[in-house]
Amino acid sequence: NWRFIFPFSYVFHEEKMVISKRKVLDITAGEYKVPAILNLQVWDSDRIAPNDFIGTLSLELCCMPRGARSWRRCMMQKQLGLENTIDLFSVRRTRGWWSFSNFKSSKAVTTGYVEAELYLLTEEEAKLMPAGLGRKEPNALPKPYRPEYKFRVWMAPLYLLNHVLCKTHRKKALTCLFFTAMCLFFFIALYSVPVFIIKRIIGAK
């Protein structure tokens, strides 16, 4: 769990966000109106090699896709093109799952999913309900549950196999195991039946 806070000004009748920015030769900062788009990125933090870019998510707050109830529904809605849009400035609050994409070879590839909850507050409401960044006070978010165990290098493949077979792809793994057992049974039967028939013909025991 991690909280981000983005204060900004918004013009409702133009559906634009107002930002103040000073250029190099300007004495005072000028105001610019841009679409209210929330851009999120996910990076894999690596201690040795450079950080790897995983994916990005862009949500136009006045016309954003409604979050799915689960990451599986999010995947199905995106594949079938059944995404509905909502106006965050009207609903003021939404929660759900959204997909991150990585544009490789000019094609968008889904690289992951995130569960997020978006609140839209006025300046007065934000003062009445203060909140801290990340997991800090006030109104701190609970820490995520992570089981404690001693990590061993030689146990890593078993943890990965358990996660892939038993949690993520349980049905596919059981189906593959069933068909493998059936194929093995038919192979043994086809190998044994001719030998048995020949022995019966020649009268061998």
Side-chain angles (χ1 to χ4, degrees):
N1 298 336
W2 201 262
R3 179 186 288 122
F4 298 93
I5 299 177
F6 303 101
F8 64 94
S9 300
Y10 185 76
V11 182
F12 281 91
H13 64 277
E14 296 184 11
E15 296 184 348
K16 298 289 184 179
M17 181 175 60
V18 181
I19 60 174
S20 298
K21 186 177 181 181
R22 179 182 296 177
K23 294 185 178 180
V24 179
L25 301 178
D26 292 343
I27 300 176
T28 59
E31 291 188 349
Y32 302 91
K33 297 178 181 179
V34 297
I37 299 177
L38 176 63
N39 294 311
L40 301 176
Q41 292 184 351
V42 177
W43 292 76
D44 182 15
S45 179
D46 200 329
R47 295 183 179 180
I48 301 176
N51 296 336
D52 297 326
F53 175 71
I54 296 179
T56 182
L57 170 65
S58 296
L59 298 174
E60 188 172 358
L61 302 184
C62 62
C63 185
M64 58 179 288
R66 184 186 296 274
R69 294 182 180 179
S70 65
W71 69 269
R72 290 184 177 87
R73 286 179 175 268
C74 180
M75 178 177 59
M76 293 175 58
Q77 290 178 2
K78 189 170 184 179
Q79 291 177 350
L80 299 177
L82 301 177
E83 294 179 323
N84 298 323
T85 58
I86 59 173
D87 184 1
L88 185 61
F89 296 96
S90 298
V91 299
R92 303 289 298 278
R93 175 182 176 181
T94 184
R95 181 177 181 178
W97 288 81
W98 289 271
S99 61
F100 278 85
S101 301
N102 193 343
F103 294 88
K104 298 180 179 179
S105 301
S106 68
K107 292 183 180 180
V109 179
T110 302
T111 54
Y113 302 89
V114 63
E115 183 182 17
E117 189 170 5
L118 304 179
Y119 287 88
L120 191 63
L121 304 176
T122 62
E123 185 177 0
E124 292 76 14
E125 292 172 342
K127 291 180 180 179
L128 295 175
M129 295 183 292
L133 293 172
R135 302 191 191 100
K136 297 180 180 179
E137 295 288 349
N139 193 17
L141 294 174
K143 294 183 179 180
Y145 171 73
R146 295 189 178 98
E148 296 182 0
Y149 59 87
K150 294 183 179 180
F151 182 80
R152 298 178 181 178
V153 177
W154 57 86
M155 293 294 291
L158 296 179
Y159 289 130
L160 179 61
L161 189 64
N162 176 62
H163 177 75
V164 173
L165 296 183
C166 299
K167 295 182 179 180
T168 308
H169 302 288
R170 180 182 300 176
K171 293 183 179 180
K172 293 181 180 179
L174 292 176
T175 304
C176 183
L177 183 62
F178 173 76
F179 279 106
T180 302
M182 293 297 295
C183 292
L184 184 62
F185 172 77
F186 283 113
F187 175 77
I188 295 175
L190 292 175
Y191 178 79
S192 302
V193 168
V195 177
F196 177 76
I197 294 175
I198 293 174
K199 287 183 178 181
R200 295 290 294 180
I201 292 175
I202 63 177
K205 295 183 179 180

